[in-house]
Amino acid sequence: MRIRRESNAPRANPFPVIVGTSAGAINAAALASHADQFDFAVSHLVAVWRNFRAEQVYRSDAIGVIRSGALWLTLLTVGWAIARWWRLSPRSLLDNRPLADLLERTLNLHRVRDVMRAGHL
């Protein structure tokens, strides 16, 4: 932001294409959704990452870890047949629902189409 301001560059997004992988994809989506307000998008990302904690990605409290671990242990010891009967299908060792909540609060993906139509991407 500072470099953009000091060079008197336009306030809009300076990148015609924004891409990323993993955490970079989160950053890219946040920048893309506010490409028409680039300084705001950067400030918002700085605030998210500056205050970032593991609890925002997965449940790291004792109860959440014990519950998830107990489910996996049960499935490994009793068998996947019972899992089918209970209709259990764990996809990860830790519950990552907090990440979905963070992404929902951080990203405004509905704006990307409008920002593209307006020529900011």
Side-chain angles (χ1 to χ4, degrees), residues 50-73:
R50 182 176 286 149
N51 299 308
F52 193 75
R53 298 177 323 279
E55 295 83 22
Q56 292 174 283
V57 176
Y58 53 84
R59 281 192 66 181
S60 59
D61 59 287
I63 292 174
V65 171
I66 290 170
R67 182 181 298 147
S68 180
L71 175 60
W72 275 94
L73 186 60

PDB file of all heavy atoms in Angstrom, residues 50-73:
ATOM      1  N   ARG A  50      -2.392 -10.887  10.985  1.00  0.00           N
ATOM      2  CA  ARG A  50      -1.737 -10.377  12.194  1.00  0.00           C
ATOM      3  C   ARG A  50      -2.348 -11.008  13.440  1.00  0.00           C
ATOM      4  O   ARG A  50      -1.659 -11.248  14.422  1.00  0.00           O
ATOM      5  CB  ARG A  50      -1.861  -8.855  12.264  1.00  0.00           C
ATOM      6  CG  ARG A  50      -1.155  -8.271  13.480  1.00  0.00           C
ATOM      7  CD  ARG A  50      -1.198  -6.774  13.483  1.00  0.00           C
ATOM      8  NE  ARG A  50      -0.258  -6.307  12.459  1.00  0.00           N
ATOM      9  CZ  ARG A  50      -0.396  -5.199  11.767  1.00  0.00           C
ATOM     10  NH1 ARG A  50      -1.433  -4.412  11.964  1.00  0.00           N
ATOM     11  NH2 ARG A  50       0.494  -4.843  10.878  1.00  0.00           N
ATOM     12  N   ASN A  51      -3.632 -11.260  13.416  1.00  0.00           N
ATOM     13  CA  ASN A  51      -4.331 -11.814  14.571  1.00  0.00           C
ATOM     14  C   ASN A  51      -4.606 -13.307  14.431  1.00  0.00           C
ATOM     15  O   ASN A  51      -5.435 -13.854  15.136  1.00  0.00           O
ATOM     16  CB  ASN A  51      -5.662 -11.066  14.767  1.00  0.00           C
ATOM     17  CG  ASN A  51      -5.422  -9.604  15.018  1.00  0.00           C
ATOM     18  OD1 ASN A  51      -4.646  -9.233  15.879  1.00  0.00           O
ATOM     19  ND2 ASN A  51      -6.068  -8.751  14.238  1.00  0.00           N
ATOM     20  N   PHE A  52      -3.918 -13.952  13.519  1.00  0.00           N
ATOM     21  CA  PHE A  52      -4.192 -15.344  13.186  1.00  0.00           C
ATOM     22  C   PHE A  52      -3.763 -16.292  14.308  1.00  0.00           C
ATOM     23  O   PHE A  52      -2.711 -16.134  14.909  1.00  0.00           O
ATOM     24  CB  PHE A  52      -3.453 -15.708  11.895  1.00  0.00           C
ATOM     25  CG  PHE A  52      -3.905 -16.992  11.304  1.00  0.00           C
ATOM     26  CD1 PHE A  52      -5.104 -17.069  10.639  1.00  0.00           C
ATOM     27  CD2 PHE A  52      -3.129 -18.130  11.426  1.00  0.00           C
ATOM     28  CE1 PHE A  52      -5.530 -18.267  10.086  1.00  0.00           C
ATOM     29  CE2 PHE A  52      -3.541 -19.323  10.880  1.00  0.00           C
ATOM     30  CZ  PHE A  52      -4.743 -19.391  10.212  1.00  0.00           C
ATOM     31  N   ARG A  53      -4.618 -17.290  14.562  1.00  0.00           N
ATOM     32  CA  ARG A  53      -4.349 -18.318  15.567  1.00  0.00           C
ATOM     33  C   ARG A  53      -4.742 -19.677  15.006  1.00  0.00           C
ATOM     34  O   ARG A  53      -5.625 -19.775  14.154  1.00  0.00           O
ATOM     35  CB  ARG A  53      -5.153 -18.052  16.845  1.00  0.00           C
ATOM     36  CG  ARG A  53      -4.823 -16.754  17.534  1.00  0.00           C
ATOM     37  CD  ARG A  53      -5.711 -16.501  18.757  1.00  0.00           C
ATOM     38  NE  ARG A  53      -7.094 -16.922  18.661  1.00  0.00           N
ATOM     39  CZ  ARG A  53      -8.084 -16.247  18.057  1.00  0.00           C
ATOM     40  NH1 ARG A  53      -7.822 -15.107  17.471  1.00  0.00           N
ATOM     41  NH2 ARG A  53      -9.314 -16.704  18.035  1.00  0.00           N
ATOM     42  N   ALA A  54      -4.125 -20.723  15.501  1.00  0.00           N
ATOM     43  CA  ALA A  54      -4.428 -22.078  15.039  1.00  0.00           C
ATOM     44  C   ALA A  54      -5.899 -22.405  15.223  1.00  0.00           C
ATOM     45  O   ALA A  54      -6.486 -23.142  14.422  1.00  0.00           O
ATOM     46  CB  ALA A  54      -3.566 -23.093  15.783  1.00  0.00           C
ATOM     47  N   GLU A  55      -6.521 -21.856  16.252  1.00  0.00           N
ATOM     48  CA  GLU A  55      -7.938 -22.122  16.520  1.00  0.00           C
ATOM     49  C   GLU A  55      -8.851 -21.638  15.398  1.00  0.00           C
ATOM     50  O   GLU A  55     -10.012 -22.006  15.336  1.00  0.00           O
ATOM     51  CB  GLU A  55      -8.372 -21.466  17.831  1.00  0.00           C
ATOM     52  CG  GLU A  55      -7.696 -22.038  19.061  1.00  0.00           C
ATOM     53  CD  GLU A  55      -6.320 -21.433  19.307  1.00  0.00           C
ATOM     54  OE1 GLU A  55      -6.043 -20.322  18.822  1.00  0.00           O
ATOM     55  OE2 GLU A  55      -5.508 -22.093  19.974  1.00  0.00           O
ATOM     56  N   GLN A  56      -8.321 -20.791  14.513  1.00  0.00           N
ATOM     57  CA  GLN A  56      -9.115 -20.319  13.386  1.00  0.00           C
ATOM     58  C   GLN A  56      -9.110 -21.319  12.226  1.00  0.00           C
ATOM     59  O   GLN A  56      -9.865 -21.153  11.280  1.00  0.00           O
ATOM     60  CB  GLN A  56      -8.598 -18.961  12.906  1.00  0.00           C
ATOM     61  CG  GLN A  56      -8.835 -17.856  13.907  1.00  0.00           C
ATOM     62  CD  GLN A  56      -8.183 -16.581  13.462  1.00  0.00           C
ATOM     63  OE1 GLN A  56      -6.978 -16.427  13.571  1.00  0.00           O
ATOM     64  NE2 GLN A  56      -8.977 -15.670  12.944  1.00  0.00           N
ATOM     65  N   VAL A  57      -8.270 -22.345  12.315  1.00  0.00           N
ATOM     66  CA  VAL A  57      -8.185 -23.349  11.262  1.00  0.00           C
ATOM     67  C   VAL A  57      -8.827 -24.655  11.711  1.00  0.00           C
ATOM     68  O   VAL A  57      -9.558 -25.288  10.964  1.00  0.00           O
ATOM     69  CB  VAL A  57      -6.724 -23.597  10.843  1.00  0.00           C
ATOM     70  CG1 VAL A  57      -6.624 -24.707   9.811  1.00  0.00           C
ATOM     71  CG2 VAL A  57      -6.103 -22.316  10.323  1.00  0.00           C
ATOM     72  N   TYR A  58      -8.570 -25.071  12.921  1.00  0.00           N
ATOM     73  CA  TYR A  58      -9.135 -26.317  13.422  1.00  0.00           C
ATOM     74  C   TYR A  58      -9.397 -26.189  14.911  1.00  0.00           C
ATOM     75  O   TYR A  58      -8.819 -25.332  15.581  1.00  0.00           O
ATOM     76  CB  TYR A  58      -8.215 -27.512  13.149  1.00  0.00           C
ATOM     77  CG  TYR A  58      -6.804 -27.305  13.643  1.00  0.00           C
ATOM     78  CD1 TYR A  58      -6.459 -27.565  14.971  1.00  0.00           C
ATOM     79  CD2 TYR A  58      -5.817 -26.835  12.796  1.00  0.00           C
ATOM     80  CE1 TYR A  58      -5.178 -27.359  15.429  1.00  0.00           C
ATOM     81  CE2 TYR A  58      -4.530 -26.623  13.244  1.00  0.00           C
ATOM     82  CZ  TYR A  58      -4.214 -26.891  14.561  1.00  0.00           C
ATOM     83  OH  TYR A  58      -2.950 -26.686  15.021  1.00  0.00           O
ATOM     84  N   ARG A  59     -10.288 -27.020  15.388  1.00  0.00           N
ATOM     85  CA  ARG A  59     -10.578 -27.032  16.819  1.00  0.00           C
ATOM     86  C   ARG A  59      -9.383 -27.615  17.536  1.00  0.00           C
ATOM     87  O   ARG A  59      -9.037 -28.762  17.340  1.00  0.00           O
ATOM     88  CB  ARG A  59     -11.818 -27.869  17.118  1.00  0.00           C
ATOM     89  CG  ARG A  59     -13.096 -27.139  16.814  1.00  0.00           C
ATOM     90  CD  ARG A  59     -14.275 -27.859  17.368  1.00  0.00           C
ATOM     91  NE  ARG A  59     -14.222 -27.859  18.836  1.00  0.00           N
ATOM     92  CZ  ARG A  59     -15.124 -28.450  19.596  1.00  0.00           C
ATOM     93  NH1 ARG A  59     -16.130 -29.082  19.040  1.00  0.00           N
ATOM     94  NH2 ARG A  59     -15.028 -28.422  20.895  1.00  0.00           N
ATOM     95  N   SER A  60      -8.749 -26.799  18.356  1.00  0.00           N
ATOM     96  CA  SER A  60      -7.572 -27.273  19.077  1.00  0.00           C
ATOM     97  C   SER A  60      -7.837 -27.366  20.575  1.00  0.00           C
ATOM     98  O   SER A  60      -6.922 -27.649  21.338  1.00  0.00           O
ATOM     99  CB  SER A  60      -6.386 -26.351  18.807  1.00  0.00           C
ATOM    100  OG  SER A  60      -6.701 -25.036  19.214  1.00  0.00           O
ATOM    101  N   ASP A  61      -9.096 -27.154  20.976  1.00  0.00           N
ATOM    102  CA  ASP A  61      -9.418 -27.294  22.387  1.00  0.00           C
ATOM    103  C   ASP A  61      -9.424 -28.779  22.742  1.00  0.00           C
ATOM    104  O   ASP A  61      -9.597 -29.645  21.888  1.00  0.00           O
ATOM    105  CB  ASP A  61     -10.767 -26.652  22.710  1.00  0.00           C
ATOM    106  CG  ASP A  61     -11.891 -27.264  21.907  1.00  0.00           C
ATOM    107  OD1 ASP A  61     -11.970 -26.996  20.682  1.00  0.00           O
ATOM    108  OD2 ASP A  61     -12.682 -28.012  22.490  1.00  0.00           O
ATOM    109  N   ALA A  62      -9.236 -29.089  23.997  1.00  0.00           N
ATOM    110  CA  ALA A  62      -9.107 -30.478  24.446  1.00  0.00           C
ATOM    111  C   ALA A  62     -10.312 -31.319  24.061  1.00  0.00           C
ATOM    112  O   ALA A  62     -10.162 -32.439  23.561  1.00  0.00           O
ATOM    113  CB  ALA A  62      -8.886 -30.519  25.956  1.00  0.00           C
ATOM    114  N   ILE A  63     -11.509 -30.806  24.248  1.00  0.00           N
ATOM    115  CA  ILE A  63     -12.713 -31.581  23.946  1.00  0.00           C
ATOM    116  C   ILE A  63     -12.801 -31.885  22.451  1.00  0.00           C
ATOM    117  O   ILE A  63     -13.108 -33.010  22.060  1.00  0.00           O
ATOM    118  CB  ILE A  63     -13.975 -30.855  24.453  1.00  0.00           C
ATOM    119  CG1 ILE A  63     -13.962 -30.850  25.975  1.00  0.00           C
ATOM    120  CG2 ILE A  63     -15.238 -31.510  23.918  1.00  0.00           C
ATOM    121  CD1 ILE A  63     -15.062 -30.043  26.604  1.00  0.00           C
ATOM    122  N   GLY A  64     -12.528 -30.890  21.610  1.00  0.00           N
ATOM    123  CA  GLY A  64     -12.584 -31.109  20.165  1.00  0.00           C
ATOM    124  C   GLY A  64     -11.563 -32.135  19.701  1.00  0.00           C
ATOM    125  O   GLY A  64     -11.870 -33.004  18.884  1.00  0.00           O
ATOM    126  N   VAL A  65     -10.343 -32.063  20.229  1.00  0.00           N
ATOM    127  CA  VAL A  65      -9.295 -33.003  19.838  1.00  0.00           C
ATOM    128  C   VAL A  65      -9.625 -34.401  20.351  1.00  0.00           C
ATOM    129  O   VAL A  65      -9.478 -35.387  19.623  1.00  0.00           O
ATOM    130  CB  VAL A  65      -7.919 -32.527  20.355  1.00  0.00           C
ATOM    131  CG1 VAL A  65      -6.855 -33.594  20.140  1.00  0.00           C
ATOM    132  CG2 VAL A  65      -7.522 -31.230  19.676  1.00  0.00           C
ATOM    133  N   ILE A  66     -10.094 -34.500  21.589  1.00  0.00           N
ATOM    134  CA  ILE A  66     -10.452 -35.808  22.154  1.00  0.00           C
ATOM    135  C   ILE A  66     -11.598 -36.435  21.367  1.00  0.00           C
ATOM    136  O   ILE A  66     -11.566 -37.620  21.028  1.00  0.00           O
ATOM    137  CB  ILE A  66     -10.807 -35.678  23.655  1.00  0.00           C
ATOM    138  CG1 ILE A  66      -9.544 -35.367  24.453  1.00  0.00           C
ATOM    139  CG2 ILE A  66     -11.487 -36.937  24.170  1.00  0.00           C
ATOM    140  CD1 ILE A  66      -9.799 -34.978  25.888  1.00  0.00           C
ATOM    141  N   ARG A  67     -12.609 -35.644  21.034  1.00  0.00           N
ATOM    142  CA  ARG A  67     -13.753 -36.164  20.278  1.00  0.00           C
ATOM    143  C   ARG A  67     -13.311 -36.691  18.914  1.00  0.00           C
ATOM    144  O   ARG A  67     -13.680 -37.783  18.513  1.00  0.00           O
ATOM    145  CB  ARG A  67     -14.812 -35.078  20.117  1.00  0.00           C
ATOM    146  CG  ARG A  67     -16.044 -35.574  19.386  1.00  0.00           C
ATOM    147  CD  ARG A  67     -17.066 -34.480  19.211  1.00  0.00           C
ATOM    148  NE  ARG A  67     -17.518 -34.009  20.511  1.00  0.00           N
ATOM    149  CZ  ARG A  67     -17.869 -32.752  20.768  1.00  0.00           C
ATOM    150  NH1 ARG A  67     -17.837 -31.849  19.816  1.00  0.00           N
ATOM    151  NH2 ARG A  67     -18.275 -32.405  21.959  1.00  0.00           N
ATOM    152  N   SER A  68     -12.512 -35.892  18.221  1.00  0.00           N
ATOM    153  CA  SER A  68     -12.047 -36.300  16.902  1.00  0.00           C
ATOM    154  C   SER A  68     -11.138 -37.522  17.003  1.00  0.00           C
ATOM    155  O   SER A  68     -11.269 -38.476  16.235  1.00  0.00           O
ATOM    156  CB  SER A  68     -11.308 -35.140  16.240  1.00  0.00           C
ATOM    157  OG  SER A  68     -10.846 -35.509  14.977  1.00  0.00           O
ATOM    158  N   GLY A  69     -10.229 -37.516  17.966  1.00  0.00           N
ATOM    159  CA  GLY A  69      -9.323 -38.647  18.153  1.00  0.00           C
ATOM    160  C   GLY A  69     -10.071 -39.913  18.529  1.00  0.00           C
ATOM    161  O   GLY A  69      -9.748 -41.006  18.049  1.00  0.00           O
ATOM    162  N   ALA A  70     -11.086 -39.772  19.380  1.00  0.00           N
ATOM    163  CA  ALA A  70     -11.873 -40.942  19.789  1.00  0.00           C
ATOM    164  C   ALA A  70     -12.619 -41.527  18.606  1.00  0.00           C
ATOM    165  O   ALA A  70     -12.718 -42.755  18.461  1.00  0.00           O
ATOM    166  CB  ALA A  70     -12.844 -40.549  20.904  1.00  0.00           C
ATOM    167  N   LEU A  71     -13.133 -40.670  17.741  1.00  0.00           N
ATOM    168  CA  LEU A  71     -13.834 -41.165  16.552  1.00  0.00           C
ATOM    169  C   LEU A  71     -12.878 -41.957  15.668  1.00  0.00           C
ATOM    170  O   LEU A  71     -13.195 -43.064  15.234  1.00  0.00           O
ATOM    171  CB  LEU A  71     -14.454 -39.999  15.779  1.00  0.00           C
ATOM    172  CG  LEU A  71     -15.108 -40.354  14.453  1.00  0.00           C
ATOM    173  CD1 LEU A  71     -16.246 -41.349  14.657  1.00  0.00           C
ATOM    174  CD2 LEU A  71     -15.620 -39.095  13.776  1.00  0.00           C
ATOM    175  N   TRP A  72     -11.700 -41.409  15.408  1.00  0.00           N
ATOM    176  CA  TRP A  72     -10.723 -42.114  14.581  1.00  0.00           C
ATOM    177  C   TRP A  72     -10.285 -43.421  15.233  1.00  0.00           C
ATOM    178  O   TRP A  72     -10.173 -44.445  14.566  1.00  0.00           O
ATOM    179  CB  TRP A  72      -9.508 -41.223  14.313  1.00  0.00           C
ATOM    180  CG  TRP A  72      -9.723 -40.327  13.154  1.00  0.00           C
ATOM    181  CD1 TRP A  72     -10.188 -39.048  13.180  1.00  0.00           C
ATOM    182  CD2 TRP A  72      -9.517 -40.638  11.779  1.00  0.00           C
ATOM    183  NE1 TRP A  72     -10.280 -38.548  11.910  1.00  0.00           N
ATOM    184  CE2 TRP A  72      -9.871 -39.492  11.032  1.00  0.00           C
ATOM    185  CE3 TRP A  72      -9.071 -41.763  11.111  1.00  0.00           C
ATOM    186  CZ2 TRP A  72      -9.782 -39.455   9.658  1.00  0.00           C
ATOM    187  CZ3 TRP A  72      -8.980 -41.718   9.726  1.00  0.00           C
ATOM    188  CH2 TRP A  72      -9.343 -40.574   9.016  1.00  0.00           C
ATOM    189  N   LEU A  73     -10.023 -43.383  16.530  1.00  0.00           N
ATOM    190  CA  LEU A  73      -9.608 -44.595  17.226  1.00  0.00           C
ATOM    191  C   LEU A  73     -10.695 -45.663  17.150  1.00  0.00           C
ATOM    192  O   LEU A  73     -10.416 -46.839  16.902  1.00  0.00           O
ATOM    193  CB  LEU A  73      -9.270 -44.278  18.687  1.00  0.00           C
ATOM    194  CG  LEU A  73      -8.686 -45.413  19.510  1.00  0.00           C
ATOM    195  CD1 LEU A  73      -7.386 -45.904  18.887  1.00  0.00           C
ATOM    196  CD2 LEU A  73      -8.450 -44.953  20.936  1.00  0.00           C
TER     197      LEU A  73
END
